[in-house]
Amino acid sequence: MTYAMSKKQLSATKLRIIGHIQGKQKGPTVVFFGGIHGNEPCGVDALEQTFQKLKMSSASIRGTIYGIHGNIPAQLQRKRFLDTDLNRLWTSAGIKAIKTKKETDLSHEEHELIEIHALVLNIIALHTPPFYFVDIHSTSGRTMPFITINDALINRRFSKHFPVPIVLGIEEYLEGPLLSYINSLGYVSLGFEAGQHTEEASVKNSMAFIGLALVFAGCLQRNEAANFDRYYQNLQQAASGNTSFYEVVHRYLIPIGGRFRMALGFENFEEVRKGTVMAMQEERKVRAKKDAIVFMPLYQEQGQEGFFLIRKIPLWALQWSALLRRLKLHRLLTLLPGISWADTQKESLLVNLKIARFFTKSFFHLLGYRNKTLDKDHLLMYNREHTAKNDMYKNTDRFSK
């Protein structure tokens, strides 16, 4: 059953769809987003150029491909957002609340969310699985290209085929990203950070990533994708051969209304020592709390995340966590002291840190849980694998390898 769209939404949808190709053969449905942040034009530019090329070879395409324009009003003004960050509104409760508002009370970004949400639900209802969602971004600081994902195994399996580093767990530190919402519906979803906002290489990297994604998802065979080898080599060189997995271990959140200035010169994936001055908050120096790797330093006016710190995940930990999740050992956690189900549907855990203080976040991460701090003594843990539609992907080429 499709989502009922108003005439106004249907009209707006025509402007929002950058491109749409329906292949003559059955296949997956792949959806790309560009410009969710209005000051990040590389995704929109890359999708416009890619769809022009795809239309000339559409006979060989399997399944369905969409390109969706994100925050159109903000992009017209070259701002990250106008009223509020569109990529922080995508929670089930938030979407429900927005849809109860009068149209005249909606912010610019809430209007955008309603249109994009209706379009996504219609795509899922009208087209055939498996579904893949890719959100293309760029950063304010210099960076090699990389992938961010919610740490579900279906996301790992798809992402590992790209020749760029992969960062897990950022959803624990961000409230309401678009891809976290889509992942909660059970579908493969990944973010691609193409490079710095103003670099032409960011468009080039985005086009390469789109091209590889269409092959890895199964819309094109490798021998049908004329630029596959070039695209792969371009990304491999841009990422300096780095294909490691990383996890986020710290976020510096800028106080609302605070004056934040990132120290000049930091680049993504740069190693820093504990005590390094990272930024100035008002007149106070902000220092790194541990030896770590810099991730997404903020060099623009808009944004609440000053910087993140990440660390590399060893291969054995990735393999061990995958095994534990396949064995579904998380079902036994409530037998341990201080851990109970937080709801009758058994979709989340409540952890009492006074009792279960000997368990670390890393322990829960191994089993597929992400956490939300309720107070100093309690964590709410959500299982990333609970909603994953594993059966939808298990027989696809990239998930069986």
Side-chain angles (χ1 to χ4, degrees), residues 27 44 84 92 114 154 244 257 266 321 327 338 361 380 389:
V44 174
T84 188
S92 296
I114 287 174
I154 55 173
S244 297
F266 285 112
S321 70
L327 293 174
K361 287 184 180 181
L380 194 63
K389 299 183 185 297

Side-chain angles (χ1 to χ4, degrees), residues 95-216:
I95 294 169
K96 185 177 180 179
I98 289 169
K99 289 189 173 183
T100 63
K101 290 185 177 183
K102 295 180 180 179
E103 187 172 355
T104 53
D105 294 333
L106 295 171
S107 69
H108 287 89
E109 279 71 28
E110 288 172 342
H111 273 288
E112 299 296 280
L113 179 143
I114 287 174
E115 290 180 8
I116 295 169
H117 185 247
L119 179 55
V120 167
L121 293 186
N122 268 275
I123 289 171
I124 293 171
L126 293 174
H127 298 290
T128 58
F131 293 96
Y132 300 86
F133 293 87
V134 177
D135 191 10
I136 302 171
H137 286 268
S138 56
T139 62
S140 59
R142 291 183 58 83
T143 184
M144 66 176 71
F146 64 92
I147 290 170
T148 59
I149 57 171
N150 287 15
D151 186 19
L153 293 182
I154 55 173
N155 289 337
R156 280 196 206 175
R157 289 170 184 153
F158 187 63
S159 299
K160 71 179 183 180
H161 298 288
F162 296 89
V164 298
I166 300 165
V167 180
L168 311 177
I170 196 169
E171 81 274 15
E172 287 191 341
Y173 298 88
L174 302 179
E175 182 74 12
L178 167 62
L179 292 181
S180 289
Y181 171 73
I182 293 174
N183 207 207
S184 73
L185 300 179
Y187 305 114
V188 168
S189 58
L190 60 148
F192 176 64
E193 298 281 353
Q196 197 169 21
H197 298 330
T198 56
E199 290 185 341
E200 179 61 30
S202 298
V203 178
K204 179 180 176 182
N205 292 338
S206 297
M207 292 183 68
F209 193 87
I210 294 166
L212 296 186
L214 293 176
V215 173
F216 295 152

Side-chain angles (χ1 to χ4, degrees), residues 318-360:
L318 293 167
Q319 294 172 335
W320 183 236
S321 70
L323 175 62
L324 293 176
R325 296 183 198 187
R326 286 195 294 267
L327 293 174
K328 300 186 185 302
L329 292 184
H330 66 275
R331 295 175 177 175
L332 303 177
L333 284 174
T334 53
L335 299 177
L336 300 174
I339 302 176
S340 59
W341 292 115
D343 51 62
T344 56
Q345 293 77 30
K346 298 183 178 181
E347 293 181 351
S348 56
L349 292 174
L350 182 63
V351 181
N352 186 331
L353 296 175
K354 287 184 176 179
I355 301 172
R357 59 184 178 277
F358 44 86
F359 293 116
T360 64

Side-chain angles (χ1 to χ4, degrees), residues 171-280:
E171 81 274 15
E172 287 191 341
Y173 298 88
L174 302 179
E175 182 74 12
L178 167 62
L179 292 181
S180 289
Y181 171 73
I182 293 174
N183 207 207
S184 73
L185 300 179
Y187 305 114
V188 168
S189 58
L190 60 148
F192 176 64
E193 298 281 353
Q196 197 169 21
H197 298 330
T198 56
E199 290 185 341
E200 179 61 30
S202 298
V203 178
K204 179 180 176 182
N205 292 338
S206 297
M207 292 183 68
F209 193 87
I210 294 166
L212 296 186
L214 293 176
V215 173
F216 295 152
C219 289
L220 288 169
Q221 296 296 312
R222 179 169 175 171
N223 59 3
E224 297 167 342
N227 296 319
F228 180 89
D229 290 335
R230 179 166 63 85
Y231 283 159
Y232 194 94
Q233 291 169 6
N234 283 350
L235 284 183
Q236 192 174 49
Q237 291 174 4
S240 301
N242 185 352
T243 57
S244 297
F245 279 78
Y246 298 83
E247 66 174 339
V248 179
V249 295
H250 176 72
R251 172 191 64 170
Y252 182 79
L253 184 64
I254 302 171
I256 295 175
R259 291 183 293 111
F260 174 87
R261 299 188 310 280
M262 190 75 200
L264 296 177
F266 285 112
E267 296 188 15
N268 255 1
F269 299 96
E270 176 183 340
E271 294 185 359
V272 294
R273 305 291 294 179
K274 179 179 179 180
T276 300
V277 176
M278 305 294 298
M280 295 294 294

